[in-house]
Amino acid sequence: MLFHVAMEVRLPPDMPAEQANDIKAREKAFAQEVQRSGKWPHLWRVAGRYANISIFDVADTDELHGILSSLPLFPYMDIKVTALAKHPSAL
């Protein structure tokens, strides 16, 4: 199943820089691991915001939830998920 996922990160302004840098490094490593698995085929930054638009290709909503909730930045994210279906006019 394909899902469009919009993620916006909101780290607390008083989070120590060392902690923020650590969580960002862990996030990058985990995200790249999921991308290499083929389950996160598209990842785009939203210009001017600490946000991204992603496409996930997973078995079901439970698998998607498992991946998203495993992201190190998950506690600091606003996430919107939209299930996708093939459009009848698509090639």
Side-chain angles (χ1 to χ4, degrees):
M1 294 181 69
L2 293 176
F3 294 91
H4 169 276
V5 180
M7 296 180 249
E8 183 134 12
V9 179
R10 291 195 170 87
L11 291 177
D14 60 345
M15 179 180 278
E18 184 177 305
Q19 183 182 356
N21 291 337
D22 175 67
I23 199 169
K24 290 175 191 177
R26 290 186 291 117
E27 178 81 10
K28 181 177 182 177
F30 183 77
Q32 289 179 343
E33 177 185 324
V34 178
Q35 289 174 70
R36 281 191 288 275
S37 78
K39 294 176 185 292
W40 194 342
H42 300 282
L43 171 60
W44 296 279
R45 175 169 304 270
V46 177
R49 293 174 29 210
Y50 193 1
N52 74 70
I53 300 294
S54 296
I55 301 295
F56 285 83
D57 188 358
V58 294
D60 53 31
T61 55
D62 290 330
E63 183 178 19
L64 178 63
H65 180 76
I67 291 170
L68 295 177
S69 62
S70 296
L71 291 168
L73 285 171
F74 179 76
Y76 308 103
M77 288 182 172
D78 289 330
I79 300 175
K80 294 183 176 103
V81 176
T82 304
L84 300 174
K86 185 169 175 73
H87 193 283
S89 298
L91 294 177

